[in-house]
Amino acid sequence: MIDDLRCRLILNSRGQLTTEVEVKLGESWFRSAAPSGASTGSLEAPELDAQEAMDALMEAKQELLKMNEDEMDVYLQDNIQKFGRAAVALSFALFKSKPIEIDQFPYPLGNILGGGKHGGGTDIQEFLISPKTVSYTHLRAHET
């Protein structure tokens, strides 16, 4: 369970308000901000007013502090319409708090071509690339 939760308003890269959440586990704080794109898809968190999202999260703070991380993640998913971007920021902060094995680490994606409603003449929104990875077990199998 987390020991404390803080939320504040910050500016995103376009100078618009978004939420930043910090969670405390033991002596460590883990922070994450909610991205806020120019457009949102039907499966993304709703684009609530940043102040409203922060206020909703802070109103639920005492309830959230009673939950373990898995319960909290389910609760956030079930209440995404209420918390919007603040739920995303809290979920990211929780993710940062967990130890990750190297084979579970997310790999970076690079956007090489934009399309969809923003241009590019394609129905596909983004064309992404990722570095090719080789697992440690694959390397060990070829050492001999």
Side-chain angles (χ1 to χ4, degrees):
M1 290 208 286
I2 64 172
D3 299 311
D4 201 0
L5 168 68
R6 299 190 291 213
C7 187
R8 67 180 146 267
L9 297 177
I10 62 169
L11 296 176
N12 67 15
S13 62
R14 292 188 318 277
Q16 300 167 333
L17 288 175
T18 191
T19 54
E20 180 179 75
V21 174
E22 289 182 312
V23 295
K24 183 179 183 191
L25 284 98
E27 297 301 314
S28 300
W29 284 92
F30 301 90
R31 178 186 316 157
S32 186
S36 171
S39 64
T40 55
S42 61
L43 300 177
E44 294 181 50
E47 189 72 19
L48 302 178
D49 175 77
Q51 182 71 53
E52 290 175 19
M54 183 183 78
D55 291 346
L57 190 66
M58 289 295 90
E59 286 175 21
K61 177 179 176 175
Q62 294 308 313
E63 187 176 356
L64 289 164
L65 291 176
K66 296 175 186 173
M67 299 177 192
N68 67 38
E69 288 89 356
D70 292 334
E71 293 169 331
M72 193 180 301
D73 227 19
V74 170
Y75 179 77
L76 292 171
Q77 289 174 30
D78 291 345
N79 292 281
I80 193 74
Q81 297 298 323
K82 178 180 178 181
F83 300 121
R85 68 182 93 199
V88 174
L90 176 52
S91 187
F92 285 173
L94 288 172
F95 176 78
K96 287 180 173 182
S97 74
K98 296 180 181 188
I100 301 174
E101 297 295 325
I102 193 69
D103 62 338
Q104 296 174 325
F105 198 82
Y107 294 99
L109 293 174
N111 187 353
I112 59 170
L113 181 65
K117 291 183 179 180
H118 302 292
T122 70
D123 291 334
I124 298 172
Q125 180 71 31
E126 296 172 329
F127 292 82
L128 304 173
I129 59 170
S130 176
K132 183 177 178 182
T133 60
V134 178
S135 71
Y136 177 72
T137 52
H138 177 76
L139 290 174
R140 299 247 338 162
H142 290 86
E143 283 181 353
T144 54

